[in-house]
């Protein structure tokens, strides 16, 4: 799983600032998932993307959150006007997108966002 | 909505003792099931997975899990705990939209 690269590993933002989290999938993987882990909780699905397409964003908050996976470059999870409740670990997973998606999915090490 | 339940947010065992971490899923169709381990400040590492076929699945680090459809369970076991097994363990189910539904996790403590 070291192949899925997330940066930064730790991010501190003041309330009202923007947070940008990056995820570079494993080579050959064209499907990306973002999950959020609140303190002392399990991971919750946020969004599923393929190159240039959002497939499922049912777990994304309706406001302030957006995600993209451009043709070139990493997937970006963007949080505008952060609030303390956004403090969490954000994990990215990538998959080749063939067959059973998650049987070949790998997770990155996460970005830990702290809002002060 | 699908859900995954992990009984016991904390489990404590002695080194060398049996490890049993419980997981129940809710899907009414044959599920894909996973166990992940998370060490402090790290990402998730896949321990094992069940897709089809043999209901007893062997994973890394001596862990195994058995899919029991009649009980909608996928409990994780290891015959003899090691200090290095101390971590948080998550059970997950893949839903029809290919996203993972996670349980709330079980923190395993191994006593010397």
């Amino acid at each position: 799983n070291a192949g899925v690269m997330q940066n930064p590993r730790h991010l501190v933002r003041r309330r009202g600032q923007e947070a940008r989290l990056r995820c570079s999938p494993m080579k050959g993987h064209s499907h990306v998932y973002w999950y959020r882990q609140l303190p002392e909780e399990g991971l919750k699905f946020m969004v599923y993307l393929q190159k240039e397409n959002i497939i499922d964003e049912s777990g994304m908050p309706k406001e302030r959150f957006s995600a993209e996976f451009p043709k070139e470059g990493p997937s970006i999870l963007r949080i505008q006007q952060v609030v303390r409740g956004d403090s969490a670990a954000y994990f990215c997973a990538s998959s080749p997108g063939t067959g059973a998606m998650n049987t070949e999915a790998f997770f990155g090490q996460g970005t830990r966002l702290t809002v002060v | 909505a699908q859900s995954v339940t992990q009984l016991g947010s904390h489990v404590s065992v002695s080194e060398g003792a049996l490890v049993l971490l419980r997981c129940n899923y809710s899907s009414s169709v044959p599920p894909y099931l996973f166990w992940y381990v998370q060490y402090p400040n790290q990402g998730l590492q896949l321990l094992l997975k069940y897709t089809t076929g043999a209901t007893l699945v062997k994973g890394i680090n001596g862990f195994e899990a058995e899919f029991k459809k009649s009980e909608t369970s996928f409990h994780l076991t290891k015959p003899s705990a090691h200090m290095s097994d101390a971590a948080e363990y998550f059970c997950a189910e893949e839903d029809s939209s290919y996203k993972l539904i996670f349980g709330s996790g079980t923190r395993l403590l191994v006593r010397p």
Side-chain angles (χ1 to χ4, degrees):
Chain A
N1 60 7
V4 179
M5 303 301 295
Q6 289 189 248
N7 67 82
R9 290 289 308 278
H10 300 273
L11 181 61
V12 179
R13 284 287 178 265
R14 296 184 183 280
R15 281 178 296 171
Q17 291 185 318
E18 178 179 286
R20 280 181 179 247
L21 289 62
R22 294 174 184 78
C23 170
S24 296
M26 285 185 69
K27 187 176 181 180
H29 286 194
S30 58
H31 295 240
V32 164
Y33 307 78
W34 285 93
Y35 293 84
R36 176 165 65 174
Q37 183 180 31
L38 294 170
E40 304 300 318
E41 293 188 17
L43 280 74
K44 297 288 195 292
F45 168 79
M46 299 183 76
V47 62
Y48 164 30
L49 310 105
Q50 295 178 27
K51 286 281 189 181
E52 302 184 278
N53 287 302
I54 296 174
I55 305 302
D56 182 347
E57 57 181 347
S58 58
M60 288 278 271
K62 293 290 185 279
E63 298 178 348
R64 302 188 298 108
F65 285 71
S66 62
E68 63 177 7
F69 188 16
K71 186 177 180 180
E72 301 291 338
S75 176
I76 305 287
L77 179 67
R78 181 184 180 204
I79 311 172
Q80 295 178 290
Q81 299 176 328
V82 296
V83 300
R84 289 227 171 106
D86 297 331
S87 296
Y90 292 82
F91 290 95
C92 167
S94 75
S95 156
T98 56
M101 300 291 189
N102 287 289
T103 60
E104 301 295 336
F106 292 91
F107 280 81
Q109 293 198 305
T111 293
R112 280 154 182 84
L113 172 65
T114 302
V115 179
V116 297
Chain B
Q2 286 175 256
S3 64
V4 174
T5 303
Q6 291 183 243
L7 286 176
S9 59
H10 293 79
V11 169
S12 179
V13 300
S14 298
E15 190 174 19
L18 171 71
V19 175
L20 171 60
L21 304 183
R22 299 178 187 274
C23 173
N24 289 88
Y25 65 91
S26 67
S27 175
S28 59
V29 298
Y32 287 175
L33 298 164
F34 305 81
W35 273 100
Y36 288 89
V37 61
Q38 184 181 33
Y39 297 100
N41 296 315
Q42 297 294 314
L44 274 70
Q45 180 180 7
L46 181 66
L47 275 178
L48 49 79
K49 60 193 177 192
Y50 169 77
T51 53
T52 57
T55 56
L56 182 62
V57 181
K58 294 187 184 300
I60 62 171
N61 300 341
F63 284 94
E64 61 184 36
E66 186 171 10
F67 168 62
K68 290 187 177 181
K69 184 179 178 181
S70 61
E71 299 177 6
T72 60
S73 69
F74 191 55
H75 302 329
L76 182 71
T77 59
K78 181 174 181 177
S80 176
H82 193 273
M83 296 298 289
S84 61
D85 294 327
E88 185 135 26
Y89 292 80
F90 292 96
C91 181
E93 176 181 22
E94 181 180 282
D95 78 359
S96 57
S97 304
Y98 305 117
K99 57 182 177 281
L100 289 172
I101 310 297
F102 284 89
S104 54
T106 297
R107 191 175 300 276
L108 177 65
L109 173 65
V110 182
R111 303 187 303 272

